[in-house]
Amino acid sequence: MNDPWLPQQAVVMEKVMETPDVATLSLKLADTAAHQRFRFDCGQFNMLYLFGLGEVPISIMDLRQGLVQHTIRAVGRISRKLVALEPGANLGLRGPFGNSWPIEEARGRDLVFITAGLGCAPVIAAIRRVIAARPDYRRLVIMQGVKHREDLLWQEQYERWREVPDCQVLLAASEEKQAPFAWSLGMVTTLIDKARFDVNNCTVMMCGPEPMIRASMHGLEAVGVGLENCFVSLERNMQCAVGLCGHCQMGTPFICREGPIFRVPDIRQWFLLEGY
Ligand SMILES: Cc1cc2nc3c(=O)[nH]c(=O)nc-3n(C[C@H](O)[C@H](O)[C@H](O)COP(=O)(O)OP(=O)(O)OC[C@H]3O[C@@H](n4cnc5c(N)ncnc54)[C@H](O)[C@@H]3O)c2cc1C
Ligand code: FES
């Protein structure tokens, strides 16, 4: 990585509006050598900087055709402006930061992904890498929850994953009255009972709204999964991204420095406390 404090100039090469408030931006670093050097581990994030406005942490969705992809929901001051960028626009990029999903350590095990809303973005690259090395893993279960059917990003991608050997794709819509064919009604956590995996030999990776993560912890424990085998990616307001400002602190850990991915028992005591 270049100087972690110094945003590098990046250019929006492509933009896809996934839904009216979610865009995927494909970025190229203006410095060709830096662009060619850019690598990331699945689960890491970049700080995206809009000149004169500020920076926000955004997960790296993937590196495709040489471009760094970010999928962004417009929720506030900076993310709205990011989603409004058009191809050709300039922005700053620092990164990649943070640790990664434990996909290497999980070889030989069943893998379970539980995500809701835009929580799917930080696991897409991990799922793709696991599928590319399919024989190294056992069963694969991908669970994703949305409010409405049309909120599901990358619907074709999920359909293709259904075709992967020993891969179970479970989708849930919490605010539909009638479930689309092959979907369930309710929160993503209702899918845990339908998932087929070895509770004694699995690694679980979760990302999404915090109430969903808490409910997933309870659901997983209820079916016998040890939380030491469960990992969660957490989100907090970030400023420096290098463990100095304290904005992202949760109890002892700084999410930018020790995270954003944590083994559940390492974060549970703070995660379950109100106000943290
Ligand atoms: C490691 C990490 C990875 C992330 N990856 C992504 C990603 O891939 N795509 C993406 O769209 N977002 C991602 N986020 C969240 C993103 O950073 C925030 O949405 C963004 O910082 C909001 O800034 P803003 O200036 O647009 O909103 P602000 O003006 O700061 O806030 C506006 C509103 O948004 C709410 N808000 C602020 N932060 C969050 C948050 N983290 N989650 C939900 N609501 C929030 C506030 O409560 C407020 O109501 C990630 C965050 C972290 C820490
Ligand atoms: S963002 Fe500054 S310490 Fe994490």
Side-chain angles (χ1 to χ4, degrees), residues 132-204:
R134 189 70 195 90
D136 293 356
Y137 299 89
R138 290 161 61 100
R139 289 195 62 83
L140 188 56
V141 183
I142 301 169
M143 295 181 241
Q144 161 75 6
V146 289
K147 284 185 184 164
H148 299 284
R149 178 188 188 152
E150 58 273 19
D151 299 331
L152 180 69
L153 307 183
W154 310 306
Q155 193 142 358
E156 285 174 16
Q157 172 82 89
Y158 282 90
E159 290 309 318
R160 281 201 301 276
W161 286 338
R162 285 189 197 281
E163 309 301 320
V164 172
D166 264 344
C167 177
Q168 191 183 15
V169 175
L170 296 167
L171 302 171
S174 60
E175 293 185 13
E176 292 284 350
K177 292 204 169 52
Q178 205 180 350
F181 176 69
W183 288 46
S184 299
L185 282 181
M187 311 297 282
V188 66
T189 45
T190 60
L191 299 172
I192 292 173
D193 285 339
K194 299 190 168 77
R196 295 187 304 274
F197 61 97
D198 181 353
V199 295
N200 297 311
N201 185 26
C202 68
T203 299
V204 181

Side-chain angles (χ1 to χ4, degrees), residues 44 57 60 81 90 141 155 183 185 211 216 223 228 244 246-247:
Q44 287 191 299
I60 302 167
K81 297 275 189 198
N90 287 302
V141 183
Q155 193 142 358
W183 288 46
L185 282 181
S216 300
V223 296
E228 68 279 6
L244 289 176
H247 275 87

